[in-house]
Amino acid sequence: MEKGNFRRHRRLRRSDSMRSLVRETYLHKEDLIYPIFAVEEDNVKREIASMPGVYHYSLDRLNEEVREVVDLGIQSIMMFGVPDHKDAVGSEAYCDTGIVQRAIKQIKEEFPDLTVIADTCLCQYTDHGHCGVIEDGYVQNDQSLDLLTQTAVSQAKAGADMIAPSNMMDGFVSAIRKGLDEAGFVDVPIMSYAVKFSSAFYGPFRDAAHSTPQFGDRKTYQMDPANRLEAIREAESDIEEGADFLMVKPALAYLDIIRELKDRFPLPMVAYNVSGEYAMIKAASQNGWLNEEEVVLEKLTSMKRAGADLIITYFAKDAARMLNQ
């Protein structure tokens, strides 16, 4: 081949300024949603063993964490609760004085401009650890919808800016939308966990939320990781039922699904960078095997490049600090 008879792509990589000039994908602090865990205790800031740097907070310590989040420029959080009392129907999930409801109300009083998203599920609140009502060892779909709707309405009453149902029951968006509208919350959007796979990457979260199933698994309602077309059907159903956002969970092993849904549907796309993805990087960086800062930014940028508009991530505070630099 004659010299010069080829394209010189490296011309656009010669310097930092040149690379910045042609960069296609950007990660911003406003893209990040930070998950927070509230517990029913006093004076608690307790690190979650399998998620270094992530903590349980009692309500009297909770606003310390939220203040740090706000000061870093993060505009959205997702609220999870770990109740003291659990029962077969997860009654603390839809109790107006439940841990999440009190946490949301407290946060909105001090930080009214912060977007507070409520995770809407039953698994943290049931004594069996499943996301709905159990009969004969099976999660009952329609009975569970009633309780999930009550939970969403209770969270909206507490001041949640957005409801994020994560249960993967059939028809959950339709049921919750109807319940919110009838209760007067027509302006509260739904961020649907539209495509939630039955993944091995959730282990550390189950430690954090004390939500490990006491029998069986969640494969009868969460999706088979091998399925792509089913993900499209699930997302399409949620749009028809009134979802305002679509989420794919987990993110890193399902970037192809994020890209395909983004190409097909006009709704804002959310990627959930889950606990196992977080823990792997933390463990590798603590062992000196990876440069944490570089890997985190590369990973989050890959989610944006795949089509995610927003990213729920336990790295949100770390990423915001990096971006602030």
Side-chain angles (χ1 to χ4, degrees):
M1 181 180 290
E2 280 185 41
K3 183 185 288 188
N5 191 24
F6 51 84
R7 298 186 66 181
R8 294 189 179 274
H9 300 285
R10 291 180 58 193
R11 289 171 181 156
L12 304 185
R13 305 173 193 152
R14 289 191 62 199
S15 64
D16 284 343
S17 60
M18 181 65 75
R19 291 190 293 274
S20 295
L21 191 66
V22 297
R23 186 162 294 136
E24 301 170 23
T25 305
Y26 282 88
L27 179 69
H28 302 286
K29 293 179 294 183
E30 293 81 5
D31 304 330
L32 306 174
I33 299 169
Y34 186 57
I36 299 180
F37 297 91
V39 296
E40 298 260 23
E41 299 172 66
D42 294 322
N43 193 30
V44 168
K45 178 183 177 181
R46 181 173 56 243
E47 190 170 40
I48 299 163
S50 55
M51 299 174 69
V54 179
Y55 296 82
H56 287 131
Y57 287 93
S58 55
L59 294 181
D60 57 331
R61 300 287 301 275
L62 179 61
N63 283 18
E64 300 172 19
E65 173 76 337
V66 179
R67 168 55 63 191
E68 182 179 1
V69 169
V70 170
D71 288 346
L72 285 168
I74 298 167
Q75 298 183 355
S76 307
I77 63 170
M78 180 170 280
M79 202 68 234
F80 295 90
V82 184
D84 279 346
H85 171 72
K86 301 190 179 198
D87 56 34
V89 294
S91 59
E92 285 294 303
Y94 45 89
C95 173
D96 287 345
T97 57
I99 182 64
V100 162
Q101 287 80 354
R102 284 181 285 144
I104 292 170
K105 185 175 181 180
Q106 173 181 310
I107 292 168
K108 291 301 293 184
E109 285 175 353
E110 185 164 344
F111 305 97
D113 295 329
L114 182 69
T115 297
V116 179
I117 305 165
D119 177 78
T120 305
C121 198
L122 300 176
C123 60
Q124 299 105 292
Y125 306 92
T126 56
D127 53 15
H128 46 73
H130 282 282
C131 303
V133 177
I134 300 291
E135 283 187 10
D136 299 323
Y138 188 76
V139 178
Q140 301 299 306
N141 193 90
D142 295 6
Q143 294 177 43
S144 301
L145 292 181
D146 292 338
L147 301 184
L148 291 163
T149 300
Q150 292 179 49
T151 301
V153 171
S154 177
Q155 292 167 337
K157 285 180 181 177
D161 298 292
M162 194 181 305
I163 299 301
S166 60
N167 53 88
M168 288 298 285
M169 297 296 111
D170 290 336
F172 69 89
V173 173
S174 178
I176 289 173
R177 183 73 272 160
K178 182 173 184 289
L180 289 171
D181 291 351
E182 290 178 350
F185 297 108
V186 295
D187 292 325
V188 173
I190 295 175
M191 177 185 283
S192 172
Y193 286 65
V195 180
K196 183 177 180 180
F197 290 92
S198 180
S199 172
F201 286 100
Y202 300 150
F205 175 88
R206 291 172 182 173
D207 291 341
H210 300 171
S211 61
T212 302
Q214 297 304 298
F215 63 90
D217 52 41
R218 295 177 178 150
K219 293 181 179 179
T220 64
Y221 45 102
Q222 295 178 359
M223 280 183 50
D224 185 336
N227 290 357
R228 167 184 150 267
L229 296 178
E230 184 182 6
I232 297 169
R233 295 196 298 270
E234 285 278 4
E236 195 167 36
S237 293
D238 286 5
I239 292 171
E240 291 171 354
E241 293 175 20
D244 299 284
F245 297 75
L246 296 177
M247 187 193 303
V248 174
K249 178 183 182 181
L252 201 55
Y254 301 92
L255 296 178
D256 60 318
I257 304 297
I258 294 172
R259 179 73 268 165
E260 184 145 17
L261 296 187
K262 184 63 176 178
D263 287 344
R264 284 175 176 266
F265 303 117
L267 268 61
M269 179 62 57
V270 185
Y272 198 143
N273 176 211
V274 299
S275 59
E277 297 167 351
Y278 174 88
M280 288 191 304
I281 291 177
K282 280 292 184 181
S285 62
Q286 287 177 355
N287 278 287
W289 299 336
L290 291 175
N291 181 308
E292 181 175 333
E293 179 171 331
E294 292 179 357
V295 170
V296 167
L297 291 179
E298 181 178 343
K299 179 184 68 167
L300 296 179
T301 300
S302 78
M303 296 170 195
K304 287 293 300 291
R305 190 186 65 246
D309 300 292
L310 301 169
I311 303 171
I312 303 168
T313 177
Y314 303 96
F315 281 115
K317 292 196 301 181
D318 295 335
R321 291 188 189 100
M322 300 170 199
L323 294 170
N324 285 338
Q325 294 172 5

